[in-house]
Amino acid sequence: MARDVADCDECEQLINRKARRSAIARVTFAVPTVEPQITDKLVIDGAERVITNLTPIPPAGTVVAYKAWCAG
């Protein structure tokens, strides 16, 4: 028997997870003159975002870029 999407708790949870994921942005950027910190914030399209994860590329050796995950 088919279920109505509006009555489906699993569907609602999936929609909520997707909405949360879309609020997280992953940004890759070149090494700036000042080393970025996890406590810094990024401005993306005029909106200030909190950095939740910051990873150097490559993980060891001379850093050539950073990956940052930002919450909206």
Side-chain angles (χ1 to χ4, degrees):
M1 175 181 221
R3 293 190 292 180
D4 186 356
V5 173
D7 295 332
C8 178
D9 287 334
E10 292 174 44
C11 297
E12 186 176 338
Q13 290 172 4
L14 178 62
I15 291 167
N16 289 338
R17 274 194 306 246
K18 285 185 177 182
R20 269 181 285 173
R21 261 190 262 146
S22 67
I24 297 173
R26 188 186 84 189
V27 181
T28 303
F29 56 94
V31 178
T33 54
V34 177
E35 184 178 348
Q37 303 294 318
I38 193 75
T39 55
D40 292 340
K41 295 179 181 177
L42 289 178
V43 177
I44 302 171
D45 293 334
E48 192 174 86
R49 293 177 171 250
V50 177
I51 297 174
T52 57
N53 188 347
L54 184 64
T55 306
I57 302 172
T62 303
V63 178
V64 296
Y66 284 93
K67 275 195 284 189
W69 285 261
C70 303

